[in-house]
Amino acid sequence: MKVMGMNPRTVLCFLGLVILAGSMVFATGCGKKPEPQTEPEVVVEPVTERIQEPVVPEVPAEPQPLVDYTRMQPSEYGIEDVYFAFDRYDLDDRALGVLTRNARILKDHPEVIILIEGHCDERGTVEYNLALGERRAKAVRDHLIRLGIPTDRLRVTSYGENRPFAVGSNEQAWAQNRRAHFARP
Amino acid sequence: MPTLPRFLCLVVCLLFVAIRPLPGVAQGVPDVTLGVTKTAFAKIDILVGTLDVLSGGLAAVEAAAALERTLTRDLEYSGLFRVSSGEQPAPEGDLNFEFAIRGSVEGPLRDAQQTGRDAPTTVSLDLVTHPGGQLILNKQYRPLPDQLRTTAHHFANQVVEMLTGEPGIALTRIVFSRGSADRRDLWVVDYDGESLLRLTANRTLNLCPAWSPDGSEIAFTSYQNGLQGLFSLKTATGEVRRIIAQEGLNLGADWHHTGRELAVSLSRSGDPDIYRVSPQGEILHRVTAMPSIEISPSWDPSGRDIVFTSDRTGTPQLYVIDSEGAGPRRLTFEGRYNDSASWSPTGDNIVYATRETDITQLVLIRPTGEERRLLTDWRWRNCEDPSWAPDGRHIVFASDRTGAFKLYVMDVVDGDVRQLTFGDEPDITPAWSHN
C-alpha cells in the first residue's frame, strides 16, 4: 500500500493524483465530517493504473531499491511550504489547502518525522521575528494535528528573519520569506 | 574621520553662542542643538603631547606613536573630552586646555634585543595641568609590543576616572553575530574597532550574545539539530556548554548583575514567557504567564525589575515587571511595534527599537515612560538591537545604512556616531561588555 519502491517520477505522478483525488473528495465531501481521510485509497487505485502506462517504458525492469523517505527533504516527496501575510500567523485558504495535501502525504509515510521551521521577512526586530516565526510554525503544527498527524511526528523551530529564502528588500522577496518550511530534522 | 563631526559640532557651538543673547530666537532652537551645545560646553579640553623617546630607536618611536594614537582616540571616544594631539591638532585658539598628557618611552635594552625575543618597553605616562604642568597622575608600565594598546587604554581609563569620577570604557569589548543564511558566528571586537576575533565555528546560527558581569562567559542562542538552545561560551578558552534547551524558544538572555542568574524567554509552555534561570540551567522563577509573546528581557541595574516586550494588547510593547512577576506596567504607548529594550547601567534610561512604516529606529525613554526621544534618523535606514556601554552614555547598535547591517556606536548625549565594524557580511545583535 505504501508508495515505497516507486521511482521519483512515479511518485510525482502519484502525488498529482493524490492531490486531484483530494480535491475531488473535497468537492463532493461537503457535509460529511471525518470521511476524506479514509477515502483516497479507493479513488487512487484505478487512476494510478491508467497513468503508469506512459511512464513504464522508461522504468527499468529490475527491482527498484526501497526509497527511505526519512533521508529525503520533505519537498522531494511533495510536501509544500506554507506562506503568510505580513505580521500574521493565521492560515489562509491557500495554506489550508497545502496543509490538507501535506497531511495526506504524511499519512502515507508514517515513518517520517518532520521539522516545521517558521520564517519571517527582514522587517522588524530579530527577537520578535523569532517569536513570530515560532507562532507560524506552531499554527501549521496545530493544524496538521487537527488533520490527524500524531504530535510526536511534528517538531517545531523558528529561524525568524535569519535564513531568508529570497534576498532583497522588496515585497516579492518578503513574501517568499514569510513561510513555514518543512525540513528533515 | 572624527574631525568632520567635531568641526560641525564646533560650528553648532559657535552658532549657539551667537544667538543665545536673543531669547526669542533661542526658543526656536531644536532640542538636538541644545543637547549638542550643552555637552560641548561641558567637555574637558586636553592636550596629548608627543611622548619623549629616551632610547630604543625606531621600535620605541613607533611604540610612542601607537600609544599617542590610542590615547587620543580613547579620550575622544569617551565623549568627555575635546582632544588635541600631534596627529590631530585642534585649530589655534579653539580649545581652552585644562590638562595635558605627557610621558616617555624607553626601548628594550640591548641584551634583550640580541636574544631576539619580544622585550618590554618602559612607558611612563603623566596627567598634568595645562598650562602649569602640575602633576596629577603618573603611571609606569612595562608592556610587550602587543600590549601597547592595552597600556594606552588603561591609562585613558585612569584619566577619565580621575577627572570625571566615572569608569572609563577603553578596555571594553563588543560581542556580536556575523554572517548570513545558514551560518552566523559570534565575533568579538574591542570597543574602538580593533582586535576583531571570531569565537564560534559550528556551522549554524549563533545569535543574541550577552556578557556575564565579569566578562568570563557569553550566553547566546544557537541551534542543535534545528532546535534552539541557550548556550554559554567561556571567553578564556572558547569552551561551549549548554545552559538550557527546552522545547521552543530559548532566547534573549540577560545576566543579573550578580552573575547568579539570567533572565531569558522560553516557550516551553506554548507561548514565550520570561523566566529566571541559573547559569546551570535550572528554572528559578517564571516571571510572566501570559497567552502572548513575552520576550527580550533586560534587567534594571539594581536587579529588581525587568523590562521586556509583550504583545498582549495585539502589538509588541514594552513593559516593566518586578522580578518576582508582580506589578507589571506598560512603558510604551507610542508606536505600534516596540522591542529590544536595554536598561542603561546607570539606571536612568532605557533604549529600544521602534518600527514605523517598515523602518526600525532607536528611541530613548526614562524608566517612568517620560521624555521619549528618537535617537536615530530614518535616513540611516534601520537601526536595531541597541546595547549599552558601562558608562551609560554610549550604545552600540546594528544599522543597514550602507547596505549590509554593520555596527555603530552612538554617544546618546551629544549624538555623535561612529562605525565600529566594516565589510560586506551582516553584523547583528551586538552586546557591550560590562567592564
Side-chain angles (χ1 to χ4, degrees):
Chain A
M1 209 42 246
K2 305 282 169 305
V3 198
M4 279 210 189
M6 296 185 185
N7 76 355
R9 191 103 172 246
T10 325
V11 173
L12 276 180
C13 293
F14 172 75
L15 292 176
L17 288 165
V18 171
I19 290 161
L20 192 77
S23 52
M24 284 165 64
V25 169
F26 248 64
T28 56
C30 304
K32 301 173 196 170
K33 272 175 239 160
E35 284 302 298
Q37 290 162 12
T38 49
E39 252 176 38
E41 300 186 358
V42 188
V43 188
V44 167
E45 198 77 51
V47 198
T48 320
E49 294 281 326
R50 223 191 298 150
I51 283 289
Q52 257 181 355
E53 279 170 23
V55 181
V56 164
E58 289 175 52
V59 179
E62 68 210 60
Q64 292 161 17
L66 277 179
V67 180
D68 184 357
Y69 286 88
T70 62
R71 288 170 172 274
M72 291 165 69
Q73 285 299 335
S75 62
E76 295 176 81
Y77 49 89
I79 297 282
E80 293 174 65
D81 289 354
V82 171
Y83 296 85
F84 294 85
F86 176 54
D87 263 355
R88 303 290 292 266
Y89 58 96
D90 52 322
L91 302 165
D92 61 13
D93 288 350
R94 197 175 143 217
L96 292 174
V98 169
L99 290 180
T100 306
R101 298 192 291 274
N102 286 353
R104 294 170 61 92
I105 297 170
L106 290 174
K107 281 180 186 170
D108 279 334
H109 304 292
E111 74 279 16
V112 161
I113 290 171
I114 291 272
L115 178 66
I116 308 166
E117 306 172 352
H119 295 268
C120 301
D121 70 37
E122 62 179 6
R123 292 172 292 175
T125 54
V126 170
E127 286 180 70
Y128 193 74
N129 274 335
L130 282 163
L132 179 61
E134 189 188 43
R135 269 187 175 166
R136 286 174 175 164
K138 283 184 170 171
V140 165
R141 180 196 62 184
D142 292 350
H143 191 68
L144 287 174
I145 291 170
R146 278 195 290 276
L147 293 176
I149 308 299
T151 318
D152 57 11
R153 294 183 55 198
L154 304 170
R155 292 190 189 148
V156 163
T157 196
S158 173
Y159 288 114
E161 63 184 86
N162 294 296
R163 289 175 69 174
F165 291 80
V167 181
S169 296
N170 52 64
E171 182 47 42
Q172 211 179 350
W174 291 333
Q176 280 293 305
N177 295 333
R178 295 189 299 260
R179 72 166 90 189
H181 174 67
F182 294 88
R184 188 171 57 104
Chain B
M1 201 176 61
T3 33
L4 185 60
R6 222 175 56 173
F7 172 68
L8 286 175
C9 172
L10 287 171
V11 168
V12 175
C13 280
L14 292 173
L15 276 175
F16 188 66
V17 170
I19 57 178
R20 197 157 53 156
L22 307 168
V25 183
Q27 232 170 10
V29 176
D31 282 347
V32 185
T33 318
L34 280 170
V36 171
T37 44
K38 257 187 212 157
T39 57
F41 280 124
K43 286 188 186 195
I44 299 167
D45 292 349
I46 191 164
L47 176 72
V48 177
T50 305
L51 303 180
D52 297 326
V53 178
L54 305 180
S55 66
L58 190 60
V61 172
E62 281 170 0
L67 285 164
E68 284 165 32
R69 199 164 48 238
T70 307
L71 265 172
T72 303
R73 269 208 318 213
D74 284 345
L75 294 174
E76 265 174 4
Y77 287 176
S78 75
L80 303 166
F81 298 92
R82 293 193 299 177
V83 190
S84 183
S85 69
E87 238 178 38
Q88 295 167 329
E92 199 69 35
D94 269 0
L95 301 189
N96 263 323
F97 292 117
E98 293 175 67
F99 304 100
I101 288 169
R102 63 183 191 198
S104 62
V105 175
E106 252 182 292
L109 301 172
R110 177 162 294 182
D111 301 358
Q113 277 177 334
Q114 281 168 347
T115 64
R117 279 178 305 189
D118 281 346
T121 313
T122 303
V123 176
S124 175
L125 294 168
D126 297 339
L127 171 67
V128 297
T129 57
H130 185 85
Q134 197 76 35
L135 184 69
I136 300 168
L137 175 74
N138 168 264
K139 289 279 164 189
Q140 309 271 346
Y141 302 90
R142 302 224 348 121
L144 292 168
D146 64 353
Q147 294 170 327
L148 286 169
R149 291 185 55 255
T150 312
T151 302
H153 289 329
H154 184 270
F155 190 72
N157 278 354
Q158 298 283 311
V159 169
V160 168
E161 198 164 347
M162 179 67 76
L163 298 183
T164 68
E166 307 285 333
I169 56 169
L171 285 164
T172 58
R173 299 197 288 170
I174 288 151
V175 62
F176 60 97
S177 175
R178 166 173 289 185
S180 52
D182 287 356
R183 298 185 57 170
R184 287 190 197 271
D185 278 310
L186 296 187
W187 291 68
V188 66
V189 67
D190 285 359
Y191 95 111
D192 59 0
E194 302 283 339
S195 305
L196 182 68
L197 180 71
R198 190 168 82 181
L199 298 177
T200 63
N202 54 359
R203 298 170 179 273
T204 185
L205 295 172
N206 300 283
L207 298 164
C208 303
W211 293 93
S212 67
D214 63 2
S216 66
E217 285 188 74
I218 295 167
F220 63 103
T221 291
S222 186
Y223 291 80
Q224 265 183 352
N225 303 320
L227 302 178
Q228 219 182 60
L230 185 70
F231 298 82
S232 180
L233 182 143
K234 269 205 162 52
T235 47
T237 60
E239 181 193 337
V240 172
R241 65 180 178 90
R242 189 175 71 195
I243 296 177
I244 191 168
Q246 300 265 327
E247 192 188 332
L249 298 180
N250 297 261
L251 185 63
D254 189 38
W255 295 77
H256 191 263
H257 68 87
T258 59
R260 289 201 291 264
E261 58 179 283
L262 301 96
V264 64
S265 182
L266 306 174
S267 60
R268 62 202 287 265
S269 61
D271 279 297
D273 273 303
I274 308 297
Y275 290 77
R276 285 159 50 200
V277 302
S278 76
Q280 288 68 44
E282 302 143 282
I283 292 176
L284 304 174
H285 192 74
R286 182 173 177 178
V287 181
T288 67
M290 292 283 290
S292 45
I293 288 175
E294 272 74 36
I295 51 166
S296 198
S298 172
W299 289 98
D300 93 285
S302 73
R304 277 192 299 270
D305 292 339
I306 295 170
V307 60
F308 65 100
T309 305
S310 170
D311 70 352
R312 59 188 67 180
T313 60
T315 60
Q317 299 291 342
L318 302 187
Y319 293 77
V320 174
I321 197 167
D322 172 78
S323 64
E324 293 298 317
R329 66 180 165 89
R330 185 166 165 181
L331 183 68
T332 54
F333 291 90
E334 269 183 78
R336 291 182 46 78
Y337 191 116
N338 298 315
D339 187 23
S340 312
S342 177
W343 207 314
S344 89
T346 43
D348 51 351
N349 280 307
I350 290 168
V351 64
Y352 64 93
T354 189
R355 198 181 73 197
E356 303 275 356
T357 60
D358 291 350
I359 293 287
T360 306
Q361 296 287 288
L362 299 183
V363 176
L364 200 65
I365 198 168
R366 297 292 185 188
T368 53
E370 296 161 311
E371 296 182 52
R372 181 186 186 274
R373 176 159 76 91
L374 203 60
L375 287 178
T376 51
D377 191 303
W378 60 269
R379 283 170 297 186
W380 301 353
R381 298 191 57 184
N382 296 289
C383 298
E384 303 180 4
D385 309 325
S387 169
W388 286 100
D391 63 1
R393 179 185 180 108
H394 292 88
I395 55 168
V396 60
F397 61 95
S399 170
D400 60 348
R401 60 198 290 188
T402 57
F405 272 94
K406 304 308 297 181
L407 303 186
Y408 296 82
V409 168
M410 175 189 266
D411 180 331
V412 301
V413 179
D414 64 17
D416 277 354
V417 175
R418 63 181 164 90
Q419 188 168 349
L420 181 71
T421 60
F422 297 84
D424 298 328
E425 282 205 287
D427 296 337
I428 59 166
T429 63
W432 209 312
S433 70
H434 303 294
N435 46 46

